[in-house]
Amino acid sequence: MRNMATIWKRFCRHRLAEACLVILLVLGTMAILAPLIAPYSPTAPDMKAMNKPPSAAHILGTDKIGRDMYSRVLYGMRVSLMVGALATVISTAVGVALGLVAGYFGGWADRLIMSFTDMVMSFPYILLVLVAAAIFQPGLWTIILILGLVNWPGVCRLVRGNVLSLRETNFIRSDVTAGMPRRFILLSEILPNTLAPVLVYGTSVFALSILDEAALSFLGQGVQPPMASLGNLLGAAQSLSTLTGKPWLWLPAGVVVIVLVVCINLVGDALRDAMDPRNSQ
Amino acid sequence: MLKYILKKVLLALPVLIGITMIDFALMSLAGSPIDMMTGPRMSQEAIALRAAEWGLDQPVWKQYLGWMGDVLQGNLGYSYESYEPVTKIIGEKLGPTLLLMSASLVVGLLIAIPAGVYSAIHRYRKRDYAVVTASFLSSSIPSFFLALILVYIFHVKLGWLPSSGMTTPNTGGGMLDVLRHMVMPVLVLAVSISGSNIRYVRSAVLEILEMDYVRTATAKGLGKRLVVGRHAWRNALLPIVTVIGMQVPMLFGGAVIVEQVFSWPGLGLETFSAITSRDYPVVMGVCLLSAVVVLAANLLTDIIYALVDPTIRYD
């Protein structure tokens, strides 16, 4: 990996990405601190304030049983970010492990892993997720596991390709010649050298997971109410009267999803650019 | 060439069989669809009879082999819900979905290719950044959210376009009516297709622009228009062909959500209701079909690639 300071300096040349990083940090902090900064409980109904448009007391209004929408969006963001982050961690871990094995050992292990990867990749992804979500009780942990276990093939291919080319480099060859143990070569020599592209790829998996969670929860197959997620908040807009008459119920959640995903993607893109050794202007 | 195609087909077959096995295993984990219909009004004998009729009392591997045997004879089984043959259900719903998918693919690529080429030619200028940022934006909008906003604007506020279905009920339908119903679903799918592809086309063209033959073309004094239009663009087509192949699984998935939002009477809508009602023969049929379509698209991509690119050897 290249020098961290250089990467940071080159990352900062992308002003837009820098702004996105700040936005992400702010939103992330708000999500983590949601229990402290939310003015109301996200699930407690208030019969005296139902269906209220935004006001001083409820800055994003209230829903049909009087829950404060600002608090619900905060908690929803927290849930969506958590689903995205954990699903990314799972799929990256699975992908890296399988990719390392396939690339380094080759032979039948490689063939087996790659045909399994092909299978998962040629499956229309949302179909697999929907079937799995319908089968195992939909809920927070189900959706995290499903997204995590479906998203790894890309990482796996990426790591395998990197390992294949690293295996031919002189420093790995000299390790082999020097009789270094396999574990050392794999974990201390090859792994750190594939980390940069995996990190960049991870950002797009993160963004995709957030979108998929939203889509699934929107269809009622993801995070279940009363727990709020950005997707099931948007699901409220499926009723025409909400869509037309109460935009405060769905517009903020939609804007937050878009902002999160756009920012993650732009940061990932700038990171890719900053780490690309071919860009040396 | 024939040998190459044959080899690719033979390689795809185990993948296809593997996919059906995964599907079947997933569904057997879910438990029996009989559970869904048990109630006080159904006796134990009736349940056992129904299970035996559908073969659900057999071990999973036997069920799978039976299903596979039927499939090889062209029989995908019968729906648990409507008792109609699955082939008939799929046949009816496939048309609208294909119409939606192909129209979206064409519109999406018509946006993505010119935008990507434009962006590559103006690399690192303001115009390039604008196009790239727009492409990030369009691939970051959840398709259902975009659908809702479009419905809000064009159906609720302006009243220009119908918000659901494929034809207006109680009218003859007709081309124009279907077209009007198509506008919003196609737009939603096309936006998400073009979003990811603009960047792909851009980097494909950028790579070509750094080639020696492009430099030669520039050096011998050809204008930008000729260099890009005659030399770079044709070579960039090659990687673009692969992208089209990669869109198919994505389109299929996108169709499920878009058809749901717009009540488009296609395969996606049918699949979603089959999944929620545990109508396994229908779900298996759709999974099989989509796997075949995806693998066929991959195969076609490989073949076109081999035909166009002289550096790929067939054997």
Side-chain angles (χ1 to χ4, degrees):
Chain A
M1 198 188 270
R2 291 172 68 99
N3 187 320
M4 286 301 272
T6 329
I7 292 176
W8 176 244
K9 217 174 82 194
R10 291 166 67 184
F11 177 85
C12 289
R13 247 189 284 148
H14 297 259
R15 283 292 154 73
L16 195 58
E18 217 180 354
C20 284
L21 191 65
V22 173
I23 295 173
L24 278 181
L25 287 176
V26 170
L27 288 178
T29 315
M30 283 171 79
I32 292 169
L33 297 180
L36 296 176
I37 55 177
Y40 300 87
S41 154
T43 47
D46 179 0
M47 295 307 164
K48 280 184 249 115
M50 293 189 290
N51 284 326
K52 286 277 185 302
S55 64
H58 300 275
I59 55 173
L60 291 180
T62 59
D63 67 4
K64 61 176 185 285
I65 54 172
R67 294 176 295 196
D68 178 54
M69 281 313 287
Y70 174 59
S71 309
R72 281 185 75 70
V73 169
L74 268 183
Y75 273 87
M77 192 166 74
R78 186 179 157 96
V79 167
S80 292
L81 281 173
M82 188 175 94
V83 171
L86 287 179
T88 307
V89 169
I90 294 174
S91 55
T92 308
V94 174
V96 167
L98 289 177
L100 276 180
V101 171
Y104 191 74
F105 294 102
W108 65 267
D110 184 27
R111 248 169 286 147
L112 193 75
I113 291 175
M114 286 334 279
S115 53
F116 189 55
T117 310
D118 276 349
M119 277 177 218
V120 179
M121 270 190 140
S122 26
F123 212 104
Y125 166 71
I126 201 102
L127 215 59
L128 182 61
V129 174
L130 269 179
V131 171
I135 285 169
F136 309 105
Q137 287 305 310
L140 182 63
W141 292 102
T142 318
I143 181 95
I144 291 175
L145 276 178
I146 291 173
L147 290 180
L149 292 180
V150 161
N151 259 332
W152 56 267
V155 187
C156 179
R157 282 195 166 179
L158 181 76
V159 172
R160 175 179 174 269
N162 270 329
V163 175
L164 281 181
S165 63
L166 277 173
R167 216 169 51 167
E168 304 302 321
T169 56
N170 282 331
F171 77 100
I172 297 294
R173 280 186 176 165
S174 61
D175 276 343
V176 177
T177 318
M180 293 293 190
R182 261 187 187 164
R183 206 179 41 175
F184 170 80
I185 299 178
L186 261 183
L187 300 181
S188 307
E189 299 275 68
I190 291 185
L191 186 61
N193 279 296
T194 60
L195 229 48
V198 169
L199 188 71
V200 171
Y201 194 82
T203 57
S204 65
V205 174
F206 189 28
L208 258 183
S209 302
I210 290 179
L211 280 178
D212 288 333
E213 180 278 325
L216 273 177
S217 301
F218 176 78
L219 291 173
Q221 303 289 321
V223 176
Q224 298 295 308
M227 186 187 267
S229 85
L230 295 176
N232 66 23
L233 289 178
L234 277 166
Q238 268 178 317
S239 96
L240 205 60
S241 64
T242 306
L243 182 66
T244 51
K246 301 172 195 125
W248 67 88
L249 286 182
W250 53 274
L251 205 55
V255 171
V256 171
V257 174
I258 295 175
V259 169
L260 280 179
V261 177
V262 168
C263 285
I264 293 170
N265 276 331
L266 284 175
V267 167
D269 190 52
L271 215 54
R272 184 199 322 268
D273 221 35
M275 286 175 173
D276 190 348
R278 283 182 299 179
N279 293 342
S280 46
Q281 316 149 293
Chain B
M1 186 66 207
L2 203 67
K3 216 169 136 194
Y4 174 81
I5 296 176
L6 210 66
K7 191 179 144 201
K8 287 278 169 191
V9 172
L10 285 179
L11 278 174
L13 273 181
V15 174
L16 187 60
I17 295 173
I19 291 176
T20 60
M21 280 175 163
I22 297 178
D23 289 340
F24 221 87
L26 266 178
M27 273 183 248
S28 67
L29 276 175
S32 160
I34 304 273
D35 297 344
M36 298 281 281
M37 46 183 68
T38 42
R41 288 174 56 199
M42 239 178 138
S43 68
Q44 280 303 317
E45 290 82 48
I47 292 171
L49 204 67
R50 179 58 55 79
E53 184 195 330
W54 287 346
L56 291 167
D57 52 347
Q58 307 270 334
V60 178
W61 63 271
K62 261 192 180 164
Q63 288 182 38
Y64 176 73
L65 286 183
W67 179 81
M68 204 56 185
D70 285 347
V71 169
L72 289 179
Q73 293 170 20
N75 176 10
L76 289 175
Y78 297 87
S79 160
Y80 291 162
E81 290 277 302
S82 63
Y83 300 99
E84 282 184 22
V86 174
T87 38
K88 188 177 161 231
I89 297 178
I90 290 181
E92 276 169 8
K93 306 285 179 181
L94 191 59
T97 296
L98 282 183
L99 181 67
L100 195 63
M101 279 169 62
S102 46
S104 316
L105 192 60
V106 170
V107 176
L109 290 177
L110 279 181
I111 302 173
I113 294 178
V117 174
Y118 181 83
S119 181
I121 298 172
H122 302 281
R123 187 189 194 182
Y124 294 145
R125 302 232 213 111
K126 284 235 165 62
R127 284 171 272 183
D128 174 32
Y129 287 123
V131 173
V132 171
T133 309
S135 88
F136 272 117
L137 197 66
S138 63
S139 60
S140 304
I141 297 181
S143 54
F144 59 88
F145 186 63
L146 181 62
L148 290 175
I149 291 180
L150 288 183
V151 169
Y152 186 72
I153 297 173
F154 292 108
H155 178 69
V156 178
K157 286 286 160 198
L158 300 172
W160 288 353
L161 294 166
S163 72
S164 72
M166 193 170 146
T167 50
T168 314
N170 305 325
T171 64
M175 271 269 284
L176 207 68
D177 194 38
V178 175
L179 272 180
R180 268 162 48 84
H181 282 82
M182 267 172 72
V183 174
M184 285 200 283
V186 167
L187 200 61
V188 171
L189 281 174
V191 163
S192 73
I193 291 171
S194 62
S196 48
N197 284 342
I198 286 176
R199 271 166 287 146
Y200 197 90
V201 174
R202 176 180 178 270
S203 60
V205 175
L206 277 181
E207 211 148 282
I208 301 284
L209 285 180
E210 279 169 8
M211 292 287 177
D212 283 341
Y213 60 80
V214 174
R215 196 166 303 139
T216 313
T218 320
K220 75 180 180 190
L222 292 186
K224 204 168 196 173
R225 187 175 298 270
L226 265 177
V227 171
V228 174
R230 188 162 293 168
H231 294 257
W233 150 245
R234 284 197 195 168
N235 288 292
L237 260 179
L238 201 57
I240 292 170
V241 168
T242 8
V243 201
I244 302 178
M246 293 187 328
Q247 297 312 307
V248 176
M250 214 194 84
L251 262 176
F252 218 96
V256 175
I257 294 173
V258 169
E259 286 182 10
Q260 182 73 18
V261 176
F262 290 106
S263 308
W264 185 263
L267 217 48
L269 196 63
E270 180 68 31
T271 311
F272 188 67
S273 73
I275 287 173
T276 44
S277 64
R278 292 198 187 174
D279 195 345
Y280 292 165
V282 176
V283 179
M284 279 306 295
V286 173
C287 287
L288 180 69
L289 175 78
S290 59
V292 169
V293 170
V294 170
L295 288 176
N298 288 349
L299 192 68
L300 207 64
T301 315
D302 282 347
I303 293 172
I304 295 177
Y305 220 102
L307 280 177
V308 186
D309 188 349
T311 57
I312 293 180
R313 274 171 288 140
Y314 303 145
D315 32 38

